[in-house]
Amino acid sequence: MATANGAHLFNHYSSNSRFIHFTSRNTSSKLFLTKTSHFRRPKRCFHVNNTLSEKIHHPITEQGGESDLSSFAPDAASITSSIKYHAEFTPVFSPERFELPKAFFATAQSVRDSLLINWNATYDIYEKLNMKQAYYLSMEFLQGRALLNAIGNLELTGAFAEALKNLGHNLENVASQEPDAALGNGGLGRLASCFLDSLATLNYPAWGYGLRYKYGLFKPRITKDGQEEVAEDWLEIGSPWEVVRNDVSYPIKFYGKVSTGSDGKRYWIGGEDIKAVAYDVPIPGYKTRTTISLRLWSTQVPSADFDLSAFNAGEHTKACEAQANAEKICYILYPGDESEEGKILRLKQQYTLCSASLQDIISRFERRSGDRIKWEEFPEKVAVQMNDTHPTLCIPELMRILIDLKGLNWNEAWNITQRTVAYTNHTVLPEALEKWSYELMQKLLPRHVEIIEAIDEELVHEIVLKYGSMDLNKLEEKLTTMRILENFDLPSSVAELFIKPEISVDDDTETVEVHDKVEASDKVVTNDEDDTGKKTSVKIEAAAEKDIDKKTPVSPEPAVIPPKKVRMANLCVVGGHAVNGVAEIHSEIVKEEVFNDFYELWPEKFQNKTNGVTPRRWIRFCNPPLSAIITKWTGTEDWVLKTEKLAELQKFADNEDLQNEWREAKRSNKIKVVSFLKEKTGYSVVPDAMFDIQVKRIHEYKRQLLNIFGIVYRYKKMKEMTAAERKTNFVPRVCIFGEKAFATYVQAKRIVKFITDVGATINHDPEIGDLLKVVFVPDYNVSVAELLIPASDLSEHISTAGMEASGTSNMKFAMNGCIQIGTLDGANVEIREEVGEENFFLFGAQAHEIAGLRKERADGKFVPDERFEEVKEFVRSGAFGSYNYDDLIGSLEGNEGFGRADYFLVGKDFPSYIECQEKVDEAYRDQKRWTKMSILNTAGSYKFSSDRTIHEYAKDIWNIEAVEIA
């Protein structure tokens, strides 16, 4: 592990000293500096003494005692010196000036020194105790900025603020220089990051594994044409947090072929070879020394793969081809997959994550086991959690390594794999339950396809064994639904069960004949009923069909052969020992609809683990005014770790003093957002208006379209009133949207365009003024969320019921005292139960009604509300510009057809939604009532801490125990 030399500067490097003394494990070095002003370049001479007898003692001694480092508590003066040291001796900028970007890097490097001590100690104790460790594999980790979170968890915020003040800078300004790590997109990645924070805080032995995306997903720009995408630049000048582990790399293979060796084993040979190199990021816990790792893989090839001959011959692109093919795997999160090349790249990403991570996990298991490796103990030391279906290839990859490389037989490997791996489902949307082309996967990962085929055959046998006595048609239907391989013939071992014999009835004798084979010249029609109700079959000789005009041959329609697919979600369920949903309603849908057949077969596998968010980042650090109030009124800061203490706010909800403080804290947060919106969008808003916020990935099921249609309706009604009537009937609102539309999701990008057009019209309408504003925040990310959420009054969680797995932004808003308007979907159901029905604005159809409402639409029985039709007509009139919105509005019209018929029920829920918004206005006018509702939302949010969720995973799925670093 990396040493923590820089940390010793805290003890020795003062702002007035001429010399620095720092030690490492093997040397003591003295650097003499000519006294000078802070950041002019000093004259230097170096004098090094070798003092092998001086060493850093490990923070954890054999007797469990503490070394000097463990009691180390830096103050502002030593931190100032450390920052100055890094600015001078760990340079990434020129030495002449100490401006904000340089101040950020030097500060972050100083923080990392402190983290390294704890990080190494955590690593060492995991090695020594050889305890069971959980590994969380995710394609996304949406970390946000790390500086304030790290110094907050280390309880050094005040000291670092004072140190930077000594150096002429403000901590908040320095922290703002940090770009958000572009390692994720939405809730999936943010959840993973909350989990890592909780794992470290609760002292659970765990690591995260992901990919180190150079350009992230994309950075959106809002123009007159809507959203445009440019590459993220978060790594352009490097990251001060990551540590490259040049000694940790693993081979990754693609393509090639599988052959049988002389020993009878299967060997995957040839193909394209790259290597994955580890970059580690420290994840510190709150008020604990535990600091776990997020290990990110970067892909490359050895220098020898650079074709020097081709380069010198002028074939520069060819010379770099191997390196380019390797590096592009980690260029972009979720590359476009409409092309064959895009699909290949995505599958390469998923396999790289799985293979590198498992090789690393297995290497650690072998190292910790020493000379006595017992593979049957692997599940007792390792728990692998697959965050959604992206890491599904963990299952065949673990099987491949155990069988092909470690020499285990199939049954041994399958038993180990099933006991090791678990799966979290995050969606009920069919398109998100990944299916990969069998042909593509067979080409790219031939050995894994063999293993998947064998797993599928075992599954078929188990299903037949369990349900073999049921009606054959139903059994065949069950097999079709449950198999991992889609559109495949049944394995020969069971196919004979489903041969359908010919049955014919002799008209004269009513003798039934059964034929195993039907002649090609005969046509058999079965299951007709005669007048007596008897089942008959009629055998018609093709030659006797004389009515057919032989001169006009009819060519049969060519049979459409459906593509063969590999269902990743089914493989997850089959290959893991646990499957969990992420909210109570979602977990029920998973059991009753998405995986019902699997639930009937293995009910013990299925669990619920309602998502949660870390209260450190999402209240304590992002909302200091509210945090201070909570601490004051609960009498303790323990709520940061024990969120059940938030419930104590309930008894003060009517207290006038608390309400006044609460409103003042909210207003101070809103004033920050006013400045932010002016800077980023040019729009001016007032802090006394209601801040109505919807910040979710732009998707039709999340129904930003319902929100903006409601705003259009509100605007139209305002325009029909006098100024006095407007003021009487409407509460001032600032409607804020944020998040990205996926680059190839055309309809989502139309919605972004529509929102920005509506905003441009309303925000420049002098008759409306501050009564209504519509703002789309460009480049929404974690850091922007940390600004917007504390300032929110109302948040919109308005997805079509039954389609949102959980949602976590709803939890963040509730923690910050924001009242919600929403449907009974995802975690909304549980939030409403906890905060109180009277403190949640509910509207819309419920999940169990959705299928019937869609059928009603398909049958042509749906009658849209007049107000909804009024809005559509208003948009088409050109009120918001000349852009043609027929394709957008057309998705809400008609009764059938792809991209039509209002699949997400915007029109159905619209009247309920706008009537509910009228209740919101009414409640907001009564500020005492509104503030009480806000307090009760924070009080009721205590159950939605990711600490609770992680405790449940640790106990019910991973079977790991916490260990505190002394």
Side-chain angles (χ1 to χ4, degrees), residues 556-562:
E557 289 287 330
V560 177
I561 302 174

Side-chain angles (χ1 to χ4, degrees), residues 7-291:
H8 298 272
L9 299 168
F10 286 131
N11 289 325
H12 301 291
Y13 183 12
S14 71
S15 58
N16 296 319
S17 64
R18 293 171 180 266
F19 114 123
I20 311 167
H21 174 233
F22 65 92
T23 63
S24 70
R25 295 186 189 274
N26 298 319
T27 64
S28 173
S29 304
K30 299 180 180 179
L31 287 72
F32 296 89
L33 308 182
T34 302
K35 190 170 183 179
T36 184
S37 59
H38 282 333
F39 288 100
R40 287 185 199 154
R41 207 166 174 174
K43 296 178 182 178
R44 294 187 293 267
C45 64
F46 295 87
H47 176 70
V48 179
N49 291 333
N50 290 325
T51 53
L52 295 177
S53 60
E54 293 182 18
K55 359 175 141 169
I56 296 176
H57 294 287
H58 193 282
I60 309 300
T61 67
E62 292 298 324
Q63 291 76 30
E66 296 184 357
S67 72
D68 291 338
L69 286 178
S70 64
S71 59
F72 166 71
D75 58 13
S78 59
I79 290 172
T80 301
S81 298
S82 175
I83 293 172
K84 291 168 65 177
Y85 168 79
H86 281 294
E88 176 66 18
F89 294 108
T90 318
V92 288
F93 295 91
S94 58
E96 290 81 14
R97 294 178 299 276
F98 187 61
E99 295 177 339
L100 281 172
K102 184 174 183 178
F104 161 66
F105 263 81
T107 303
Q109 287 157 343
S110 176
V111 175
R112 197 180 77 174
D113 289 343
S114 292
L115 295 181
L116 276 168
I117 299 169
N118 295 339
W119 202 6
N120 290 347
T122 304
Y123 183 93
D124 286 348
I125 200 163
Y126 289 175
E127 287 287 302
K128 286 182 178 180
L129 297 182
N130 190 18
M131 58 187 53
K132 185 173 185 179
Q133 191 166 333
Y135 299 97
Y136 198 83
L137 272 65
S138 179
M139 288 296 285
E140 297 185 39
F141 287 92
L142 201 59
Q143 292 288 94
R145 291 171 175 160
L147 180 59
L148 292 180
N149 191 74
I151 62 176
N153 280 355
L154 290 168
E155 299 181 272
L156 293 174
T157 302
F160 270 91
E162 185 179 344
L164 285 166
K165 185 178 179 182
N166 294 339
L167 297 171
H169 286 298
N170 172 278
L171 174 59
E172 191 172 329
N173 291 339
V174 170
S176 70
Q177 298 300 302
E178 181 177 5
D180 278 36
L183 298 171
N185 174 33
L188 186 78
R190 186 52 238 166
L191 177 76
S193 295
C194 283
F195 279 6
L196 292 187
D197 177 90
S198 287
L199 284 162
T201 296
L202 300 174
N203 301 303
Y204 281 116
W207 276 21
Y209 280 106
L211 296 181
R212 183 177 177 265
Y213 303 107
K214 185 174 182 179
Y215 300 117
L217 181 70
F218 59 81
K219 184 181 292 188
R221 289 178 178 168
I222 303 301
T223 70
K224 62 181 179 60
D225 297 317
Q227 175 187 289
E228 295 179 356
E229 301 83 31
V230 296
E232 283 275 9
D233 57 0
W234 75 288
L235 284 176
E236 204 158 85
I237 57 174
S239 168
W241 304 109
E242 63 184 19
V243 176
V244 59
R245 307 294 189 190
N246 288 307
D247 58 332
V248 181
S249 65
Y250 298 97
I252 310 293
K253 181 185 287 294
F254 306 110
Y255 302 110
K257 63 180 181 179
V258 182
S259 62
T260 303
S262 58
D263 55 2
K265 292 183 178 180
R266 302 290 282 164
Y267 290 91
W268 185 15
I269 58 175
E272 175 187 328
D273 295 298
I274 65 168
K275 69 175 180 177
V277 178
Y279 285 72
D280 286 355
V281 178
I283 308 294
Y286 177 73
K287 290 190 175 183
T288 176
R289 294 192 64 205
T290 300
T291 303

Side-chain angles (χ1 to χ4, degrees), residues 564-822:
K564 294 181 177 181
K565 301 278 189 180
V566 180
R567 295 164 165 158
M568 306 304 270
N570 288 21
L571 180 55
C572 285
V573 176
V574 175
H577 65 89
V579 178
N580 70 278
V582 290
E584 287 180 0
I585 185 174
H586 170 241
S587 295
E588 288 305 307
I589 292 171
V590 164
K591 291 190 293 187
E592 300 301 323
E593 297 178 25
V594 182
F595 297 126
N596 180 249
D597 288 305
F598 288 108
Y599 176 63
E600 290 179 357
L601 182 61
W602 300 308
E604 70 284 355
K605 282 192 180 190
F606 289 80
Q607 305 182 22
N608 175 58
K609 296 287 173 280
T610 298
N611 284 342
V613 300
T614 168
R616 270 76 61 186
R617 184 179 288 269
W618 293 111
I619 311 182
R620 178 68 181 84
F621 302 145
C622 79
N623 199 343
L626 183 62
S627 297
I629 292 170
I630 295 170
T631 298
K632 173 185 174 181
W633 286 85
T634 61
T636 178
E637 208 176 47
D638 290 351
W639 61 268
V640 182
L641 288 169
K642 300 175 181 177
T643 51
E644 60 269 19
K645 292 187 175 293
L646 292 174
E648 295 178 17
L649 292 170
Q650 291 173 353
K651 60 189 177 187
F652 305 115
D654 289 307
N655 186 288
E656 190 173 340
D657 291 336
L658 173 58
Q659 289 201 359
N660 287 334
E661 292 174 20
W662 201 271
R663 282 192 290 269
E664 184 55 38
K666 181 68 74 174
R667 195 175 193 279
S668 68
N669 289 324
K670 291 168 80 171
I671 289 171
K672 291 181 182 178
V673 171
V674 169
S675 299
F676 169 79
L677 293 179
K678 180 66 176 175
E679 176 190 347
K680 296 295 183 182
T681 70
Y683 291 135
S684 297
V685 302
V686 293
D688 295 318
M690 179 200 300
F691 280 21
D692 174 354
I693 301 180
Q694 186 179 16
V695 282
K696 292 177 175 289
R697 175 168 51 91
I698 309 298
H699 197 292
E700 289 168 278
Y701 89 83
K702 293 179 184 286
R703 298 202 296 189
Q704 285 89 354
L705 197 53
L706 175 61
N707 186 351
I708 194 64
F709 264 45
I711 292 167
V712 169
Y713 179 77
R714 188 182 190 88
Y715 174 62
K716 185 175 186 296
K717 293 296 124 182
M718 285 181 175
K719 294 291 286 181
E720 294 168 357
M721 296 178 181
T722 65
E725 288 172 332
R726 290 186 203 114
K727 191 171 182 181
T728 301
N729 285 281
F730 293 101
V731 166
R733 285 205 199 198
V734 178
C735 300
I736 301 172
F737 294 82
E739 258 296 1
K740 302 176 177 73
F742 193 70
T744 57
Y745 190 174
V746 175
Q747 192 74 330
K749 296 181 80 169
R750 287 183 184 132
I751 292 170
V752 173
K753 166 68 175 165
F754 182 48
I755 293 169
T756 57
D757 282 353
V758 170
T761 299
I762 293 175
N763 298 345
H764 293 100
D765 190 329
E767 291 184 355
I768 303 302
D770 291 329
L771 202 54
L772 182 61
K773 298 289 186 184
V774 180
V775 184
F776 194 99
V777 178
D779 197 18
Y780 178 80
N781 56 23
V782 174
S783 297
V784 175
E786 290 172 356
L787 193 64
L788 292 182
I789 290 173
S792 59
D793 294 304
L794 180 75
S795 61
E796 310 248 355
H797 305 275
I798 57 177
S799 52
T800 312
M803 301 199 75
E804 184 75 85
S806 171
T808 52
S809 65
N810 45 9
M811 301 171 184
K812 297 162 197 165
F813 281 104
M815 281 184 173
N816 284 274
C818 178
I819 299 153
Q820 302 185 35
I821 181 171

